[in-house]
Amino acid sequence: MKIAIDGPVGAGKSTIADAVANALNILHLDTGAMYRAVGLSCLKAGIDYEDEAAVTALCEKLEMDVRHEADGQHTLVNGEDLTGGLRTEAVSAAASRVATYAGVRRAMVAAQQALAAKTDMLLDGRDIGTRVLPDADVKIYLTAAAGERARRRWLEYQKKGQDVPFEEVLRDLEARDRQDMNREVDPLRQAEDAVVVDTTELDFDGSVAAVLAVIREATGRG
Ligand code: DC
């Protein structure tokens, strides 16, 4: 069974996908973590992530490895576990940029397809239903209104003690949406055969239940 979940930043894809995959007892591949790992590798190597040629050259040399352990997904580059450093604003900005480069996408898509070929899997990202798994058994486009996505992100910052103005969070989120939707290679868009799940009015449990209901309808599982 292959499940594709795509959608814009802050729709709750990763956490919802995790809970759904757990309920189905299948692996979840967070493909955004792989683009984040490329972004972080650039920052660590002192490479300007605006420099497509340099980033592509670095990406060709990277050995990326994803392991699923009891505490979740671990993303390794050249044997080093980068998982703990992937969720910062600096890495988000770098990841969004490097994900626009054709060479980077080619390498990541191939790695994701190889991982998904081995076992039942739920993948979440931006181009899973349109590019990585065009023949997925179920495709879900998970979204929510921009203001609500920004509000959730802002609450996460508050919880971590980071006092970022709401307007800044909303502006960054909309800028990243634009970058993801308007890039030339495999932009974020809803696959024609995807089912839309809008979580604007749903809490976490409601969102998980809505996604599971779509999967049950399509496959009889869940
Ligand atoms: O889902 P995320 O925020 O962790 O993803 C990080 C960046 O990677 C985001 O800017 C979009 C990009 N991405 C992508 O282009 N294709 C994917 N399949 C997953 C993520």
Side-chain angles (χ1 to χ4, degrees):
M1 177 152 80
K2 310 288 179 225
I3 300 172
I5 300 186
D6 293 298
V9 67
K13 284 191 308 296
S14 295
T15 42
I16 293 169
D18 234 12
V20 168
N22 268 336
L24 296 171
N25 202 20
I26 64 174
L27 291 181
H28 163 216
L29 180 64
D30 169 3
T31 62
M34 299 171 73
Y35 291 95
R36 287 173 181 274
V38 175
L40 178 54
S41 298
C42 291
L43 299 178
K44 283 165 81 91
I47 288 175
D48 175 8
Y49 60 73
E50 298 290 341
D51 183 343
E52 178 168 1
V55 174
T56 306
L58 175 88
C59 195
E60 278 163 9
K61 281 185 284 172
L62 291 184
E63 185 75 41
M64 187 160 308
D65 193 15
V66 172
R67 297 196 190 143
H68 287 94
E69 310 208 348
D71 63 347
Q73 174 172 327
H74 287 254
T75 310
L76 292 82
V77 170
N78 298 334
E80 188 186 349
D81 190 345
L82 298 185
T83 310
L86 297 181
R87 306 230 146 247
T88 68
E89 277 300 289
V91 172
S92 297
S96 184
R97 191 76 190 115
V98 302
T100 65
Y101 302 150
V104 173
R105 299 206 70 82
R106 205 177 310 123
M108 293 304 113
V109 168
Q112 290 154 18
Q113 289 172 332
L115 287 163
K118 290 189 205 159
T119 177
D120 286 351
M121 201 177 261
L122 183 158
L123 283 76
D124 88 270
R126 304 292 191 285
D127 60 343
I128 309 302
T130 53
R131 178 77 178 87
V132 180
L133 298 176
D135 298 324
D137 299 287
V138 196
K139 297 179 186 176
I140 291 164
Y141 191 80
L142 195 69
T143 189
E148 174 60 17
R149 290 187 280 124
R151 192 187 67 83
R152 292 175 192 168
R153 191 51 55 99
W154 178 81
L155 277 174
E156 273 171 30
Y157 286 132
Q158 293 288 107
K159 261 191 227 150
K160 285 195 232 161
Q162 299 174 15
D163 202 10
V164 193
F166 174 79
E167 288 69 25
E168 192 180 315
V169 177
L170 179 62
R171 202 173 47 237
D172 286 356
L173 183 136
E174 288 180 330
R176 218 164 304 147
D177 276 357
R178 268 197 301 280
Q179 182 143 270
D180 291 344
M181 290 174 179
N182 294 318
R183 68 171 174 239
E184 274 177 35
V185 192
D186 298 334
L188 168 65
R189 63 185 168 78
Q190 186 193 326
E192 274 172 19
D193 48 352
V195 178
V196 177
V197 175
D198 187 323
T199 70
T200 307
E201 306 282 334
L202 298 175
D203 63 6
F204 178 74
D205 290 343
S207 305
V208 172
V211 171
L212 281 170
V214 173
I215 294 170
R216 198 176 311 118
E217 171 86 18
T219 69
R221 279 178 67 175

